[in-house]
């Protein structure tokens, strides 16, 4: 799952845990370490989500459908597709409109990162300003998402234009999301 799903799957958790779950993939890039135990718990949640998605029997075979140049990056394509379907079907998952939900939750994470003087703070500021978590709901937004990801390293370059993979395999990806995401949500529910 990508940023929107990681934010959603942090529901009921502290801003520190949410920050860890949302931003775990950026720790190494920014030379940051988890600043506290709650953030570290969020990082562990993020990794558990990724491992569950990677091994899920509904998702694994879908990677083989992607073009050969993108197949090895199929996990990223599936993650972004998950955010796309979550944004498209948001009303089924929350009574709060998507824009308001994202703004409220990211504001709490932003306050936490500023209080910690985290090097991830400016990254989150940029994500908020450029609406990274909202743009995944459209094909144009998917294009911008894949372009941004493709710039992270030369190995990710084939992701440029990968929204065509989602468009080409829409029915199969949508059906897999419908089965997979409720299972993932149940696994991520915070302890009572």
């Amino acid at each position: 799952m990508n940023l929107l799903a990681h934010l959603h799957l942090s529901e009921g958790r502290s801003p520190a845990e949410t920050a860890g779950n949302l931003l775990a993939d950026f720790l190494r890039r920014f030379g940051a370490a988890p600043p506290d135990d709650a953030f570290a718990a969020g990082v562990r949640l993020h990794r558990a989500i990724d491992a569950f998605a990677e091994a899920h029997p509904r998702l694994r075979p879908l990677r083989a459908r992607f073009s050969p140049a993108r197949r090895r990056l199929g996990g990223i394509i599936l993650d972004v597709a998950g955010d796309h379907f979550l944004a498209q079907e948001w009303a089924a998952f929350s009574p709060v409109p998507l824009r308001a939900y994202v703004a409220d939750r990211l504001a709490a994470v932003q306050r936490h990162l500023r209080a910690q003087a985290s090097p991830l703070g400016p990254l989150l500021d940029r994500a908020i300003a450029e609406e990274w978590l909202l743009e995944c709901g459209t094909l144009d937004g998917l294009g911008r998402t894949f372009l941004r990801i493709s710039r992270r390293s030369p190995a990710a370059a084939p992701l440029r234009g990968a929204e065509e993979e989602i468009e080409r395999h829409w029915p199969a990806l949508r059906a897999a999301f419908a089965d997979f995401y409720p299972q993932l949500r149940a696994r991520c529910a915070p302890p009572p």
Side-chain angles (χ1 to χ4, degrees), residues 29-97:
R29 184 169 141 198
F30 284 85
D36 55 46
D37 289 344
F39 190 101
V43 171
R44 287 190 299 276
L45 175 62
H46 180 103
R47 292 179 180 151
I49 290 167
D50 286 357
F52 183 74
E54 189 74 23
H56 197 276
R58 282 286 289 175
L59 300 184
R60 287 184 66 102
L62 292 173
R63 290 183 190 96
R65 294 178 179 220
F66 299 143
S67 64
R70 294 187 177 122
R71 202 165 288 146
R72 66 181 177 77
L73 300 166
I76 297 170
I77 296 169
L78 290 173
D79 287 350
V80 173
D83 270 16
H84 179 67
F85 294 119
L86 180 57
Q88 288 279 305
E89 300 169 20
W90 182 256
F93 297 103
S94 176
V96 179

Side-chain angles (χ1 to χ4, degrees), residues 116-182:
Q116 300 290 320
S118 170
L120 296 169
L123 172 77
L124 185 63
D125 293 345
R126 183 174 167 211
I128 291 169
E130 296 177 8
E131 298 188 329
W132 291 0
L133 281 78
L134 298 172
E135 72 181 357
C136 59
T138 67
L139 284 175
D140 286 344
L142 287 176
R144 289 188 297 278
T145 299
F146 283 122
L147 179 61
R148 187 174 50 253
I149 296 169
S150 74
R151 293 176 176 159
R152 289 186 193 164
S153 78
L159 288 172
R160 181 172 287 165
E163 65 277 10
E164 68 190 21
E165 300 286 356
I166 295 172
E167 196 170 16
R168 184 179 305 127
H169 303 292
W170 184 281
L173 293 171
R174 171 62 192 86
F177 174 80
D179 289 345
F180 165 76
Y181 197 68

